[in-house]
Amino acid sequence: MTTIRWRAGRHAVHGVVRLALACAVLTLAACGGGEDEAAPHLSAEAALGEKMFHDPSLSASGRQSCASCHDARFAHGAPNALAAQLGGPDLARQGSRLAPSIRYLSSNTAFHFDAEDTPTGGFFWDGRAASLSAQAKGPLLSPVEMANKSPAEVVARLAQAPYAGEFERVYGVGILQQPELAFERIAQALEKYQLEDPDFAPFSSKYDATLRKQTTLSAQEERGLALFKDAAKGNCAACHPADLGADGSHPLFTDFTYDNLGVPRNPELAHNRDPAFFDLGLCAREGGDLTARAELCGAFKVPSLRNVALRQALFHNGRFKTLKEALQFYVQRDTHPEKWYPRGANGEVLKFDDLPPELHGNVNTSEAPYDRVPGDAPALTDAEIDDVIAFLKTLTDGWQQP
């Protein structure tokens, strides 16, 4: 089986947009930053998007909004440790994947294959949405999320909202009688909100302050950064670039590509009760456009590591609940597979148990820290893992000078 062609230094070019965002954040910060400072100005569309983002009445249950799964207190990620959030008309239906943070997505692109045939871009874990507005439509219609049966049902709910008149002022009188067009405008407003509100890309972590020469990392954080970048140790920066861009833009800690890590199966997910079911990621995404690309089966989006210390569940299936455990898996997956995977009836370790055997060859085993076998030492010691975690905590937004 052919694996995805992983390349060294695969850093997507998003610098111009990132630099603009960083400048906007710095401009806002320069205005004083006091507690009573006015909120940043949003366009009329973005202001509508903000109201819709926080409005549970747009869901079939009347109790779930976009913010329910993308909570600003958790960097617009999940507010709990569930492997997948509960939704549907009764809020009792489990989703299929972890709700990711939706920060730092403004410079992402539609899904494409780059010059080296590396899958890149797209929104959701499998890249199936081409834009923030397309991504916004998904949860509104998903039967396990906000559970509207059609775009017209979403629009009918909005027509009862206190801001329905504002929606018509922005998009035109009669827009609510055109459900298909109105649904497009709903998604457009949600996209505008995420693009305009600096809370979605604040660049306000300790690491950002370090890059601006406003503070310095501690000795442990510096060690962690060095291990994070070291291609023979953590090798994290291969997919999560940590350096300033050539234009001075701050790193997003993702290259927007995909990887197949062989993450263990998570029994918390209801669909995994069926032993014949496998979540195959890219090759099985909605629309079926990549079905023929068997080498992509099991690959999922590389998420940004900004605010990763706020996550209470990690990876696409929420299998791990702490950074310590996730990093131990990274470096011990191949040296101590018995720690992470079940054993068969004959005692053999069933490695890569969340993929059918014929697709095990797709798993990334060529790059450090995965290029090891049982009996080898892990790429990081326990103390070094703690150093990397100390560094990752510097990526949390909202840092303030002590």
Side-chain angles (χ1 to χ4, degrees):
M1 182 62 67
T2 303
T3 59
I4 295 175
R5 182 166 55 199
W6 314 109
R7 69 181 190 274
R10 47 182 185 176
H11 299 170
V13 179
H14 305 282
V16 173
V17 177
R18 277 183 283 154
L19 183 59
L21 283 167
C23 289
V25 172
L26 283 169
T27 300
L28 287 168
C31 293
E35 288 294 324
D36 57 351
E37 185 178 333
H41 175 73
L42 299 178
S43 68
E45 282 187 282
L48 270 173
E50 180 177 24
K51 291 174 181 177
M52 288 185 277
F53 189 88
H54 294 93
D55 186 0
S57 76
L58 296 182
S59 67
S61 68
R63 292 179 287 160
Q64 187 173 60
S65 69
C66 303
S68 298
C69 299
H70 302 287
D71 191 322
R73 296 170 302 170
F74 298 89
H76 293 95
N80 53 45
L82 295 177
Q85 300 301 300
L86 301 177
D90 52 5
L91 286 187
R93 304 186 187 184
Q94 188 186 55
S96 58
R97 294 173 183 159
L98 181 74
S101 170
I102 55 173
R103 283 194 183 176
Y104 298 102
L105 292 178
S106 59
S107 60
N108 191 15
T109 64
F111 180 85
H112 63 283
F113 290 94
D114 73 4
E116 298 182 18
D117 203 36
T118 300
T120 305
F123 298 79
F124 293 120
W125 283 105
D126 57 14
R128 65 186 183 275
S131 65
L132 283 169
S133 60
Q135 177 176 257
K137 295 175 185 177
L140 287 165
L141 301 177
S142 168
V144 297
E145 295 181 74
M146 297 174 79
N148 290 286
K149 295 177 182 177
S150 67
E153 187 170 315
V154 180
V155 175
R157 295 185 191 283
L158 188 146
Q160 301 303 312
Y163 50 85
E166 182 181 348
F167 191 84
E168 286 199 308
R169 286 193 296 275
V170 172
Y171 293 118
V173 175
I175 183 70
L176 294 174
Q177 283 70 57
Q178 304 175 68
E180 293 296 329
L181 179 59
F183 187 63
E184 292 295 326
R185 296 296 178 259
I186 288 169
Q188 180 178 314
L190 287 166
E191 179 179 55
K192 290 281 189 181
Y193 170 51
Q194 293 176 70
L195 290 175
E196 292 184 24
D197 191 328
D199 283 351
F200 285 96
F203 294 96
S204 59
S205 70
K206 181 179 182 181
Y207 189 62
D208 290 304
T210 301
L211 294 177
R212 296 185 190 112
K213 311 298 184 185
Q214 296 168 335
T215 190
T216 57
L217 299 180
S218 70
Q220 184 181 31
E221 292 162 353
E222 284 281 8
R223 293 196 303 269
L225 173 59
L227 292 164
F228 186 95
K229 292 182 176 182
D230 190 334
K233 298 292 285 182
N235 197 30
C236 312
C239 297
H240 305 280
D243 293 327
L244 288 170
D247 57 3
S249 58
H250 285 208
L252 298 177
F253 286 87
T254 177
D255 59 6
F256 294 104
T257 62
Y258 294 75
D259 208 345
N260 187 333
L261 302 180
V263 177
R265 196 170 181 86
N266 189 352
E268 292 178 54
L269 293 171
H271 59 217
N272 284 341
R273 294 170 192 159
D274 177 1
F277 173 83
F278 296 97
D279 185 352
L280 297 181
L282 266 183
C283 78
R285 71 186 190 179
E286 182 181 307
D289 58 320
L290 297 176
T291 302
R293 298 288 299 263
E295 77 277 13
L296 302 181
C297 291
F300 292 89
K301 191 76 173 288
V302 173
S304 171
L305 294 185
R306 284 181 170 273
N307 298 294
V308 70
L310 299 180
R311 306 284 172 269
Q312 299 174 65
L314 299 154
F315 296 106
H316 70 279
N317 63 1
R319 173 63 176 78
F320 296 112
K321 306 302 184 184
T322 67
L323 281 174
K324 181 85 171 190
E325 190 180 30
L327 285 170
Q328 286 174 330
F329 165 72
Y330 268 120
V331 300
Q332 297 175 11
R333 186 196 75 180
D334 301 288
T335 61
H336 297 83
E338 71 282 356
K339 292 182 64 174
W340 313 108
Y341 301 102
R343 291 184 183 271
N346 63 357
E348 180 184 3
V349 176
L350 303 177
K351 197 174 179 184
F352 308 147
D353 65 326
D354 208 23
L355 283 172
E358 65 270 20
L359 296 176
H360 286 187
N362 288 357
V363 178
N364 185 355
T365 57
S366 61
E367 296 178 309
Y370 318 119
D371 55 347
R372 286 164 170 74
V373 296
D376 289 346
L380 297 174
T381 66
D382 202 56
E384 288 173 329
I385 286 174
D386 289 340
D387 290 344
V388 173
I389 291 172
F391 166 67
L392 291 174
K393 289 180 177 178
T394 73
L395 304 182
T396 302
D397 286 324
W399 177 82
Q400 294 183 343
Q401 185 79 44

